[in-house]
Amino acid sequence: MFAIRLTPRPADDSTLVLAVGPAGADALPEPLAGEVTALLSSADDPARPGAVQLLPRPARQPARVLLAGIGAGDEAGWRAAGAAIIRTVRADEPVGIALGPDVPAEGLCGLAEGLWLGGYRFRDAPRGPRTAEVTIAVTGAHPYEQSLETARVTAAATWLARDLANMPASVKNPAWFAEQIVAAAATRPGLTATVREPAQLAAEGFGGILAVGGGSASPPRLLELSWRPESASRHVVLVGKGITFDTGGISIKTRDGMKLMKKDMSGAAAVVAATLGAADLGLGVRITALAPLAENAVSGSAYRPGDVITQYDGTTTESTNSDAEGRLVLADALAYAVAELRPDVVLDLATLTGANAVALGKRTAALYSYDDELAAALTAAGAAAGESMWRLPLPDDYREYLRSDIADRHSSPTRGAGSVVAALFLSEFLGDRRDRWAHLDMSAPSWAEQDDGDLSVGATGWGTRTLLRWLVSA
Ligand code: BES
Ligand code: MN
Ligand code: ZN
């Protein structure tokens, strides 16, 4: 990730960036003030978050002035401005952003997040990660260093989640994913990572993970990443779906439906990245991230439609569609969390159903919970972080759709609504923690088809930012 530094004043040789709010740009020395005022008066809504006006001043200092709209000047407005600025400047162009005296700390945090998130590029891209030289000029005494650090940790965690999801599945098999996180955990005190391999998964009864992972030449894993600060009184478990590629298995997907399925571990990426970020911020809450990792492949050893699987809690699931694999691996991890970890709160994040996008479009995750307070806190954290979710119901009268003639339940009912019945399926594994659980179906917002504000084309890292915000007060 490129560096952003705070300085007392902008360097002479950099492009000068000024924020434009409802009252125009901050007071400027002549002749700049006249030029800027003239440009702003002819521009169409220059304060709109993300709007950028360029003022070239050849042979003068500064040689370029960039006017960035911050809307009402709230965190979201500054974040949009940061993303627009980094997309407008060239990679080798030094940028000096001049902040007025009254910018709140959240504004600086949003600005830095926008710069870093909008400036993301996949680490293995042919051109390599983006370089940029950004300084932010601030005046007087200020609490900005802490805000910049929070933004740095949030952005770095999001970059990690994006890198993991963008990585081709030929590289990113379950063992590789687990190794990345074991290595990351080793660099930070207070973090531990353990990895279960198939023999241990079998000995402990993780039947869902083994069934789904059984068709692949790359065997499954269960990754458990734990952050345990001494002072912690609460324990949060975060479960993330980690299907490193989803062919659909024997109930194979269409070629179009399969194209992007390397991203089917985006939930796992978000929960491990947020846990590593929480450690970097030194948050005082105990966190266990669980990532059931498997490749849903097609082969002679793949599980079949009609198979009955014994899950971690000893109950059985009839699987008539091997493309409903995510809920099988999540069920094991959730049941294990409840039985062995006794958490205060359990969240799971999963690219679980195509129906998420049908219900809510490309940018919004579906949120499910029996806990109104938890649902409200997650929604608020998402709104503050710039990630949107919408709560959908868990109607008890749809539960009968899960009924099976030969097992305790059925994994892929054809009645009800796809995302809703998937959530109801998961709710069966929460035991006495059902009222302390939330599920986020994040299939749709996990991917951006093009650069869009703080999202760069490809994996979005959705959920990482929301989790970090929420964990601060969890
Ligand atoms: N990974 C997919 C869901 C998905 C689809 C995520 C599109 C992102 C974009 C999941 O494993 C799946 O295949 N779900 C099925 C469930 C069905 C078989 C009950 C679906 O949504 O069609
Ligand atoms: Mn599937
Ligand atoms: Zn899947």
Side-chain angles (χ1 to χ4, degrees), residues 30-85:
E30 289 295 350
L32 214 43
E35 293 173 50
V36 166
T37 312
L39 177 60
L40 290 181
S41 64
S42 69
D44 179 23
D45 197 6
R48 180 178 56 79
V52 170
Q53 318 289 328
L54 196 61
L55 178 62
R57 307 172 77 247
R60 286 180 294 165
Q61 280 291 348
R64 266 156 59 97
V65 176
L66 212 136
L67 301 163
I70 56 166
D74 55 6
E75 188 172 358
W78 280 102
R79 193 184 297 120
I85 292 163

Side-chain angles (χ1 to χ4, degrees), residues 246 253 323-325:
D246 183 10
K253 287 184 182 294
D323 201 7
E325 82 298 337

